[in-house]
Amino acid sequence: MQIKVVENLTLTKHDIKYFFKENLKLLSKIGFKCSLTKKSEKFKFHHKIPTYIANFCGLIVFALQIYFVIDKIQTNTVLAMQSLSYAVINVQSILKGFMTANSIENIQQIFENLGIFWQKYMSRKPGRELILDRAYKTISLCKFFFVMAIVCYFLFVMQFLIKFSIQYLNREATNHTYDFSNTVDLIKYPFEIPNLPVYFLLISVEINYLFVCIVFWCNTDSLFVTLTSHVYVQFKALKLDTTLAFNNSMLKERSILIDMVNRHRELLRMCYLIEDTYSPIIFSTTLLSALNMCVTVYAVREYIDKGYYLEMGIPLFLFIGASLQILFYCIFAESLTDETRSVADSVYNLKWTTKDNKIKFYIQMIIMRCQKPFYCTAYGFFPIGHQQLTSIISAAFSYYMMLQTMSN
C-alpha cells in the first residue's frame, strides 16, 4: 500500500499521464485507446462502431422524445417543453460523440505532441510547479465536473425508482397494475408495454443510454479544458525559458530565437488542431444551448404563472446548465487567446536594446508574428469568448420575448 502511494505522488509531479488519466479512461470506454506517446496503429472504422451505435440509439431516443412532445403539447405545455429541453441535450450528446469519433486522429496527434513537449520542456525541471498551477486547478475542476454529472445521473435514476416504489407500495389499491408511462426520461413509446419484464428491459436501456450520454458529455468538455490548459501552460513555459536563456549572455541569442520560433510554431499548430477538432462542437453547443435557454425560460415562466414554484427547479437548473455549458468553452478558449497574444509582450521585454541590428531585426519579426493571436472559433463564424457569451444570452432572451409576443 505504501508503494502505491509513492507511485501516485511521483505520477502527480512528473508524469503528464496524471493530468489526462481520466480523459484517457473515458475515451477507452467508447473504443478509443489513445496514448500520450507515439502510436503506430491508426484508428480504424471498427474503433468508431461503439460510438456510432450509441449515436443511433440516441436518434431513436430523440424520436421518442419528440413523440412525447407532440402528444403533450396540447394538454401539458410545460411538460412538453421540459421534454423538448431533454431532447436538445440529447442531440448535443449525440453530436459530441459523433464529432469526437470523427476527430479522434487529431486528438491523438495533440496527445503525442503534448507528450513530446512535456518530456522536452516540462518533465522534472525546476521551477515548473508554479507554471503547472493552472494544470492542477484544471484537474480539480474536471473532477468536480465528473462528480456533478454522476450526481445528476443518479438523481434521474432515483427519481424513477422513487416513483416506481410508490406504485409498488400501492399495488393493492391499483389491483396490481402499474403505470408503464413512468420512464426515466420524458419519452413515449409508440406501442403498448404488455408486462413488467418488458417494462424493466426498456427502463434498463434508458438508464444505460443515459450513462453513455454522461460519458460523451463529460469526455468532450473536460478534454477541451485539459487540452487548452496544457497548451496554455506550454506557452507560459516558452516565455519563461526564452526570457531566462536570452538574458544569459553566455548563450547565442540567434539560436535562442530560432528555438523559440520553432516552439511557438509547434504550439500554434496544436492550437489549430484543437480548433479543427472543437470548432463544430462549439458551434453546435452554442446554438443548441441558446435554444435550450429559450425553452427553459418559457417553462419557468409557465410554472410561475401557474404558481408551481417548486416544480420550476428542473427547468431553472437546465437553464443554468445551458449557460454554464457555453461559459465552460468561453473561459478556456479566451484564456488561450490571451496567452498567445502575451508572447509578443514577453519578447518585447527581453534585453535586446544592447544587441546588434540583426538580433533587433529578428526580435521585430517575431513580435510582428506573435501579435496575431489564436482564436478558437465556432465553425469559423465567430471567435468564442466572454463577449460572445453575453451576445448569445442576449439573443436567446430576445428570441424568447419575440415568441412570447407572438403567442399573445
Side-chain angles (χ1 to χ4, degrees):
M1 187 71 184
Q2 188 175 1
I3 296 174
K4 192 173 183 181
V5 173
V6 173
E7 281 183 2
N8 285 338
L9 288 174
T10 305
L11 187 66
T12 301
K13 289 184 178 180
H14 305 297
D15 198 335
I16 191 174
K17 291 181 181 179
Y18 170 79
F19 300 96
F20 288 94
K21 60 182 180 180
E22 301 298 336
N23 296 114
L24 294 175
K25 286 180 183 178
L26 288 176
L27 284 171
S28 66
K29 295 290 184 184
I30 55 177
F32 302 117
K33 294 183 179 179
C34 294
S35 173
L36 289 160
T37 58
K38 202 70 178 176
K39 187 169 182 174
S40 56
E41 182 185 357
K42 293 184 178 180
F43 292 103
K44 299 178 181 178
F45 179 76
H46 65 84
H47 293 115
K48 303 178 182 180
I49 290 178
T51 300
Y52 291 156
I53 293 175
N55 288 339
F56 179 74
C57 294
L59 291 175
I60 296 176
V61 173
F62 175 74
L64 297 177
Q65 289 170 327
I66 297 301
Y67 187 45
F68 182 90
V69 172
I70 295 172
D71 181 65
K72 295 291 184 181
I73 193 67
Q74 298 295 333
T75 58
N76 194 335
T77 308
V78 177
L79 200 60
M81 290 296 102
Q82 187 173 329
S83 179
L84 182 60
S85 179
Y86 291 160
V88 172
I89 294 173
N90 182 27
V91 172
Q92 284 183 284
S93 297
I94 293 171
L95 291 175
K96 286 180 179 181
F98 181 77
M99 292 174 184
T100 300
N102 285 347
S103 302
I104 192 63
E105 289 82 6
N106 284 349
I107 294 173
Q108 174 59 34
Q109 191 172 357
I110 298 169
F111 279 152
E112 293 173 8
N113 292 340
L114 284 175
I116 294 171
F117 265 69
W118 179 273
Q119 292 297 326
K120 193 172 182 180
Y121 302 111
M122 300 294 294
S123 182
R124 299 181 185 272
K125 287 193 175 184
R128 287 302 191 255
E129 285 75 12
L130 292 176
I131 297 178
L132 286 172
D133 180 64
R134 170 67 173 262
Y136 285 113
K137 290 179 179 178
T138 300
I139 290 181
S140 300
L141 177 62
C142 290
K143 287 181 178 179
F144 176 76
F145 182 54
F146 294 149
V147 170
M148 290 300 298
I150 294 298
V151 168
C152 292
Y153 170 76
F154 279 110
L155 287 177
F156 267 91
V157 176
M158 288 301 298
Q159 181 184 17
F160 163 77
L161 292 177
I162 291 172
K163 289 181 179 179
F164 185 81
S165 298
I166 294 173
Q167 288 191 64
Y168 180 77
L169 293 174
N170 297 331
R171 65 189 184 281
E172 298 291 341
T174 58
N175 196 20
H176 293 273
T177 59
Y178 297 93
D179 181 13
F180 291 148
S181 64
N182 177 30
T183 56
V184 178
D185 199 356
L186 293 178
I187 60 177
K188 182 181 179 181
Y189 294 101
F191 53 84
E192 293 293 331
I193 300 176
N195 50 46
L196 204 59
V198 175
Y199 176 64
F200 274 110
L201 176 63
L202 294 173
I203 292 299
S204 63
V205 172
E206 289 183 41
I207 292 174
N208 288 327
Y209 177 70
L210 183 59
F211 179 76
V212 171
C213 287
I214 295 294
V215 172
F216 282 159
W217 198 284
C218 292
N219 177 55
T220 306
D221 292 355
S222 64
L223 185 59
F224 176 80
V225 170
T226 311
L227 290 176
T228 53
S229 295
H230 273 267
V231 176
Y232 173 94
V233 164
Q234 290 294 341
F235 272 110
K236 279 195 169 298
L238 169 64
K239 294 188 295 183
L240 178 63
D241 292 345
T242 303
T243 302
L244 293 176
F246 191 87
N247 294 338
N248 186 352
S249 58
M250 299 295 292
L251 300 174
K252 292 183 179 180
E253 294 86 355
R254 185 174 180 273
S255 61
I256 294 170
L257 294 177
I258 291 175
D259 179 68
M260 182 258 182
V261 169
N262 290 332
R263 261 173 89 177
H264 183 258
R265 184 172 56 190
E266 288 299 316
L267 287 174
L268 285 179
R269 184 167 163 268
M270 278 191 275
C271 289
Y272 287 115
L273 281 174
I274 294 174
E275 210 269 342
D276 289 340
T277 302
Y278 276 92
S279 180
I281 296 176
I282 292 173
F283 176 74
S284 62
T285 297
T286 53
L287 183 65
L288 293 173
S289 294
L291 174 61
N292 207 0
M293 289 163 65
C294 294
V295 173
T296 52
V297 168
Y298 179 85
V300 170
R301 176 67 180 270
E302 288 292 314
Y303 276 128
I304 292 175
D305 290 342
K306 294 179 180 180
Y308 301 154
Y309 298 107
L310 293 178
E311 288 82 354
M312 75 178 187
I314 293 178
L316 188 61
F317 174 79
L318 294 174
F319 173 81
I320 296 173
S323 303
L324 292 177
Q325 171 77 2
I326 306 174
L327 182 64
F328 208 60
Y329 283 94
C330 289
I331 290 175
F332 290 91
E334 189 162 353
S335 65
L336 186 57
T337 298
D338 294 338
E339 195 61 28
T340 58
R341 186 185 289 114
S342 67
V343 175
D345 297 331
S346 177
V347 174
Y348 179 78
N349 291 327
L350 296 175
K351 297 179 180 179
W352 54 268
T353 54
T354 59
K355 309 299 180 181
D356 56 57
N357 291 333
K358 183 177 287 188
I359 296 298
K360 292 178 181 178
F361 177 75
Y362 291 155
I363 292 288
Q364 184 180 8
M365 292 296 102
I366 293 172
I367 291 175
M368 290 175 63
R369 175 62 186 88
C370 294
Q371 281 179 336
K372 182 182 178 182
F374 162 78
Y375 290 102
C376 197
T377 66
Y379 229 171
F381 287 101
F382 51 83
I384 195 72
H386 293 94
Q387 184 178 359
Q388 195 60 40
L389 173 64
T390 56
S391 300
I392 292 169
I393 295 176
S394 176
F397 275 102
S398 298
Y399 290 135
Y400 164 74
M401 294 304 296
M402 181 181 68
L403 291 173
Q404 190 74 17
T405 303
M406 291 175 64
S407 63
N408 292 333

